[in-house]
Amino acid sequence: MAISTELLALFILLGSVSTVFADDSNVVVITDENFGQLREGEWMIEFYAPWCPACRSFEVHWEEFASLCKKKYPNVRVGKVDVTTEMILSGRFLVQRLPTLFHGINNDFRELSIDRSLKNMESYVRDKTWQKTEPMPWYSSPMGHVSGCLGYAMKAGSYLQKIYDYLTKEVGLSMWLVIAGGVVAVVVAGVSLGMGALYIGLKLSPPMPVHIQSPQSENFGSTGENDEPDKKPRVQTDEGQAETKPSPRPSASPRAKKETASPSATGGSARQRKGGKKLKASAD
């Protein structure tokens, strides 16, 4: 009885030790939270899924490659991404098959198209075979904004799929009813976003200047051809400074002078002459 108890304790101890060593992996688990560390250093990355048979059989070789890089190539770090939980990252890298391997250095990423044997992967890192392959272009680079938007779109699509499955399977709604509700929701959301963007744009844009002509101006509202500014000629004085010379006024014609002369003005001048003669006579 005592022996069996000792054996049981020994088995428990060995199991705990094996668990500790199993968790002590040289492969870095990459998520959307620590994705920024891929910008620094040289990386070898595997995209896998737990349900994938090929990924399960390749897991042992990937662990061996990580241990090899830690011993012989410490500047190369080895990581892995679970596509079932990290949909944004799988969208960034445009993963289409499993498992998929990528090499990254200085924000340049290349997909490995070699045989996934330990010898070939070591040669790929040791001989820098990755230099013979062009990196992913800027519009499909995992570090670009385009790939980031695509990753978020894929994550949103997975959420919509979960909502659809819940409404059709758990709640029991009709497929067409769910689709119609989704279309209405998309239209309402689009209109709301458009109106909100328009409102923000109008609030942030500066007001347009309005030019109003003063009504006190002499030529306000005049559009005739004779509307010309009063131009006065400038003459040169002795001191060398320009002086404005008033424009000469046009003289009236003799006929106009004769018509403007009134009888009252003529009579007034005659009375002034008579008054002058009387003053002269009284003086004598």
Side-chain angles (χ1 to χ4, degrees), residues 45-59 62 79-87 89-91 93-102 111-112 114 116 154:
I45 311 166
E46 176 203 7
F47 284 82
Y48 74 100
W51 49 262
C52 174
C55 299
R56 293 177 181 176
S57 61
F58 179 69
E59 183 178 1
W62 194 244
K80 62 180 180 179
V81 180
D82 186 357
V83 298
T84 59
T85 58
E86 304 299 332
M87 299 179 182
L89 293 183
S90 62
F93 282 84
L94 303 176
V95 177
Q96 299 179 355
R97 61 180 182 275
L98 297 175
T100 302
L101 305 181
F102 284 92
E111 183 178 355
L112 274 69
I114 61 174
R116 294 188 298 268
M154 292 182 64

Side-chain angles (χ1 to χ4, degrees), residues 64-205:
E64 293 178 358
F65 176 68
S67 301
L68 178 65
C69 289
K70 185 177 181 180
K71 295 177 181 178
K72 300 178 64 175
Y73 315 101
N75 60 319
V76 180
R77 304 183 66 182
V78 181
K80 62 180 180 179
V81 180
D82 186 357
V83 298
T84 59
T85 58
E86 304 299 332
M87 299 179 182
I88 296 179
L89 293 183
S90 62
R92 281 181 175 271
F93 282 84
L94 303 176
V95 177
Q96 299 179 355
R97 61 180 182 275
L98 297 175
T100 302
L101 305 181
F102 284 92
H103 174 269
I105 183 172
N106 298 329
N107 286 340
D108 290 334
F109 292 87
R110 299 167 175 85
E111 183 178 355
L112 274 69
S113 57
I114 61 174
D115 183 33
R116 294 188 298 268
S117 63
L118 183 61
K119 180 180 178 180
N120 290 337
M121 290 188 296
E122 181 183 4
S123 175
Y124 189 85
V125 174
R126 182 187 66 244
D127 302 334
K128 297 183 178 181
T129 312
W130 51 267
Q131 294 180 348
K132 300 179 182 179
T133 307
E134 290 293 330
M136 301 173 67
W138 64 268
Y139 53 85
S140 61
S141 174
M143 299 299 178
H145 297 290
V146 177
S147 299
C149 294
L150 182 59
Y152 283 108
M154 292 182 64
K155 190 171 184 178
S158 65
Y159 285 147
L160 292 177
Q161 181 65 37
K162 292 179 180 178
I163 294 173
Y164 174 81
D165 294 338
Y166 174 77
L167 293 177
T168 54
K169 296 179 181 179
E170 299 295 335
V171 180
L173 297 179
S174 173
M175 178 186 68
W176 296 108
L177 182 60
V178 174
I179 294 176
V183 171
V184 172
V186 169
V187 172
V188 172
V191 173
S192 302
L193 291 176
M195 296 298 293
L198 180 60
Y199 177 77
I200 294 174
L202 292 177
K203 285 294 183 181
L204 296 179
S205 61

Side-chain angles (χ1 to χ4, degrees), residues 13 24 29 31 46 59 77 94 109 113 230 241 247 251:
L13 179 62
D24 188 15
V29 178
T31 63
E46 176 203 7
E59 183 178 1
R77 304 183 66 182
L94 303 176
F109 292 87
S113 57
D230 186 12
Q241 297 180 353
S247 302
S251 59

Side-chain angles (χ1 to χ4, degrees), residues 249-261:
R249 295 183 178 180
S251 59
S253 60
R255 183 177 179 181
K257 291 181 178 180
K258 189 178 294 186
E259 291 177 354
T260 54

